């Protein structure tokens, strides 16, 4: 081996190492830019845009830059509008990072929490102590007590839906999947601030199709009247009556079945059904599959609905392929976003059967998304300030109008909200009732055994199983679930 | 002495050069694999941080393999059966089809470029985009149903779409997977055929060998080791399939196209799932793939190796 060769090799080593360090330096520079010292999570498959690149000369100046991570593409304009107004007031920049789909976003958050690199603020589904990551989230109860005016601004259901209750602690105590930190939480603690409210159980109707069938586009008085409307539409126009996301199990179970069953059978029987003490094959509850069976036999379901996800189902409805669609308050924004004329839609709560025990059950809105502040973040105070601004009346008007979302606070001057949001907000009750006070009961539909009901429901939709057989399959799964989770 | 010193220096330079790559492999490759094995013996509910993992022994495996969890084991059983159907189809459809097309291409004198472009198409197009195209073809109002209707074959139409009916969804997905996997097998067989020395055929002809004898005595011994690779490759595709199913059906309708990797994904990232169970399922699938690959090697590998020498 001659010296020239060795020198060449040493040069190659030095060059390689320099390249590695140079690349590493580039990487760290980027992350610093994004977060002002706070390490930000990986940006793979994320879109990151600065909310306001140029600050007005009149606005205060600040070097603080916050990162807000979320997974709702349709909410991003709302966050950006609030961030811009916040910058005008404080000089603090808020950068939003959107990561989709929600499973990827969840995993990114979990990994960031484990690596102690959470963003300053992150959005999650609204639920007590959810995604608080064993105390990495800021606890808000002190701030809420300190600022009574801010606290009083929230809709009661919005704040109660994110506050740790004794019932949550009791449930976590029995739950093997709950962490020790969750079990040690105290009633009244708040780890996320709700930024919106909403509700499932909405049926959307296509005015044009319904009127073409010679019917009046208005809320049917009963479940039976609604089915009769679908039959008339099919008969007169040939358009199938109903579409929903059959391939997403939770949609039919959690957006339709639980409320209709509650209205039909009342609190006691419904609670027994949810606790697996009454069977699905019981004549009181089998309607959930019989309804699908009848729709299938009468050709009232959109062909292919069994394979549809939520967005394709909304698209099919918006394209006029079915007269009615199942959704939530949040569906409205989606329908208008994909080009459906707002004047062509009418909506109503899922109807109750004629002889229902609680036919006039009011749907109370519950919080859908909450913002969580990083308790260990370098700009914690600024993040708290931003979340408080976003949930002030001023911030909520900006957010709601740009995100087409229902605000979580009371807006004294409703005319500040756009007309469609005003209409939806007025259709919901803000009063507390049995349904809003007992989420732990009706949320049983999210448990594992209900996946078996979803599978059976699809089989009934496709005509490969009867309602009775599918109900028997579910009853077996429910019994197994109850045995494993007494 | 100087020589040994220089050799040592050269070795050191070599180690230093490969150190970043080895370091990356240890951190990213080896660590994640070992971590995944360890995690398969722990319970880590979806959403919980890693330090909340609890040792579960073999419970995760019992849950889906031995019916410890009635619901999960039902879903796993259905998924593994579907994986096996896909694997069966990959071996009995892809291999003969790829071999036939390779022989025809090898003999073709005109239009070879055009055919090569066609058979390489699935390899060069964006897979997700192509799955959406297939989804469109299979739609209730898609081209396949429209074509059948135009021929008056209304009774053949899949009313809910070809991936929307329980009995047609899996075959429709298999067609998509076969279409995507064919080029890889075809290229290997085609390369194998081109490696055959034409003098061997000429010599065989002089000796009076017929077409069957040439195929079994000259072509097949050369293609046999390639066939083993193709079988293992296709088994791997069949047992690791995920993207086609996730984009086109998400395992539906009613689990008709559910496969283990989709179940693993749902267990790992969806509410009520468990990262430990997801890892246990993944490693079970790895063992199955490994055993089937070993069986393939036993059936074809050793003998063909000796014969081809």
């Amino acid at each position: 081996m001659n010296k020239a060769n060795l020198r060449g090799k040493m040069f190659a080593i030095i060059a390689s190492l320099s390249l590695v360090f140079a690349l590493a330096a580039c990487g760290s520079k980027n992350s610093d830019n994004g977060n002002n010292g706070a390490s930000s999570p990986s940006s793979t498959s994320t879109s990151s845009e600065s909310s306001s690149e140029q600050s007005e000369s009149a606005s205060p100046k600040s070097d603080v830059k916050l990162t807000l991570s979320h997974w709702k593409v349709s909410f991003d304009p709302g966050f950006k509008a609030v961030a811009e107004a916040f910058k005008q007031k404080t000089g603090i920049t808020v950068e939003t990072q959107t990561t989709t789909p929600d499973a990827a976003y969840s995993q990114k958050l979990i990994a960031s929490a484990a690596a102690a690199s959470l963003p300053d603020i992150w959005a999650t589904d609204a639920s007590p102590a959810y995604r608080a990551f064993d105390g990495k989230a800021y606890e808000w109860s002190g701030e809420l007590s300190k600022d009574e005016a801010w606290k009083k601004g929230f809709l009661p259901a919005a704040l109660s839906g994110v506050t740790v209750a004794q019932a949550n602690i009791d449930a976590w105590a029995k739950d093997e999947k709950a962490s020790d930190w969750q079990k040690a939480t105290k009633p009244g603690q708040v780890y996320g601030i709700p930024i919106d409210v909403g509700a499932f159980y909405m049926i959307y109707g296509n005015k044009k199709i319904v009127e073409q069938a010679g019917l009046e586009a208005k809320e049917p008085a009963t479940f039976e009247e609604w089915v009769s409307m679908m039959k008339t539409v099919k008969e007169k126009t040939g358009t199938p009556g109903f579409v929903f996301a059959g391939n997403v199990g939770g949609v039919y179970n959690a957006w339709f079945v639980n409320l209709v069953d509650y209205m039909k059978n009342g609190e006691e029987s419904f609670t027994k059904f949810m606790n697996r003490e009454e069977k699905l094959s019981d004549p009181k509850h089998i309607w959930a599959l019989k309804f699908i069976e009848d729709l299938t036999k009468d050709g009232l379901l959109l062909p292919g609905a069994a394979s549809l996800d939520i967005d394709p189902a909304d698209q099919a409805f918006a394209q006029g392929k079915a007269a009615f669609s199942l959704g939530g308050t949040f569906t409205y924004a989606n329908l208008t976003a994909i080009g459906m004329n707002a004047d062509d839609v009418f909506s109503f709560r899922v109807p109750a059967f004629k002889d229902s025990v609680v036919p006039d059950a009011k749907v109370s809105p519950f919080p859908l998304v909450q913002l969580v502040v990083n308790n260990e973040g370098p700009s914690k105070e600024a993040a708290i300030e931003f979340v408080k601004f976003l949930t002030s009346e001023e911030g909520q008007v900006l957010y709601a109008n740009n995100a087409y979302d229902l605000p979580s606070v009371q807006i004294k001057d409703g005319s500040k909200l756009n007309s469609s949001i005003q209409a939806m907000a007025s259709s919901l009750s803000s009063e507390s009732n049995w349904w809003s006070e007992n989420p732990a009961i009706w949320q049983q539909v999210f448990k594992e055994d209900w996946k078996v009901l979803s599978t059976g429901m699809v089989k009934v939709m496709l005509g490969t199983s009867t309602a009775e057989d599918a109900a028997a399959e579910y009853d077996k799964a429910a019994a197994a679930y109850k045995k494993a989770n007494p | 002495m100087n020589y040994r010193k220089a050799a040592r220096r050269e070795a050191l330079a070599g180690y230093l050069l490969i150190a970043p790559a080895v370091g990356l492999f240890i951190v990213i490759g080896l660590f994640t694999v070992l971590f995944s094995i360890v995690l398969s013996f722990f319970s880590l509910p979806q959403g919980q941080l890693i330090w909340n993992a609890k040792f579960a022994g073999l419970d995760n495996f019992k849950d889906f393999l031995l019916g410890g969890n009635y619901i999960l084991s039902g879903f796993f059983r259905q998924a593994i059966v579907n994986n096996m159907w896909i694997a069966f189809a990959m071996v009995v459809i892809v291999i003969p089809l790829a071999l036939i097309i390779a022989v025809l291409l090898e003999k073709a004198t005109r239009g070879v470029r055009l055919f090569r472009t066609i058979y390489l198409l699935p390899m060069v197009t964006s897979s997700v985009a192509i799955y959406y195209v297939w989804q469109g073809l299979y739609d209730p109002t898609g081209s396949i149903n429209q074509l059948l209707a135009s021929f008056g074959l209304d009774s053949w139409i899949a009313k809910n779409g070809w991936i929307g009916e329980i009995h047609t969804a899996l075959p429709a997905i298999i067609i998509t997977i076969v279409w995507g996997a064919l080029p890889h097998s075809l290229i290997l067989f085609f390369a194998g055929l081109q490696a055959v020395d034409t003098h061997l055929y000429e010599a065989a002809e002089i000796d009076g060998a017929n077409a069957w004898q040439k195929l079994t005595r000259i072509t097949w011994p050369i293609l046999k080791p390639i066939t083993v690779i193709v079988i293992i490759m296709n088994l791997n595709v069949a047992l690791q399939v995920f993207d086609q199913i996730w984009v086109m059906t998400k395992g539906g309708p009613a689990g008709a196209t559910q496969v283990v990797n989709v179940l693993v994904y749902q267990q790992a990232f969806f509410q009520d799932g468990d990262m430990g169970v997801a890892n246990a399922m993944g490693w079970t699938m790895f063992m199955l793939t490994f055993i089937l690959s070993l069986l393939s090697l036993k059936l074809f590998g050793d003998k063909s190796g000796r014969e081809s020498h």
Side-chain angles (χ1 to χ4, degrees), chain A residues 66-95:
Chain A
L66 300 170
T67 305
L68 189 168
S69 290
H70 69 98
W71 79 104
K72 294 267 190 184
V73 177
S74 60
F75 288 4
D76 205 52
F79 290 135
K80 283 197 165 75
V82 178
E84 211 168 305
F86 186 65
K87 181 158 186 163
Q88 297 293 321
K89 280 181 188 291
T90 63
I92 297 168
T93 305
V94 181
E95 189 179 75

Side-chain angles (χ1 to χ4, degrees), chain A residues 425-458:
Chain A
S426 63
S427 74
L428 298 167
S429 157
S430 60
E431 284 167 26
S432 180
N433 56 34
W434 186 89
W435 191 259
S436 65
E437 286 161 12
N438 291 282
I441 295 175
W442 55 263
Q443 282 176 3
Q444 287 299 314
V445 296
F446 294 112
K447 299 294 179 192
E448 202 175 22
D449 52 334
W450 279 75
K451 288 179 191 166
V452 177
L453 175 59
S454 301
T455 303
M457 185 269 294
V458 170

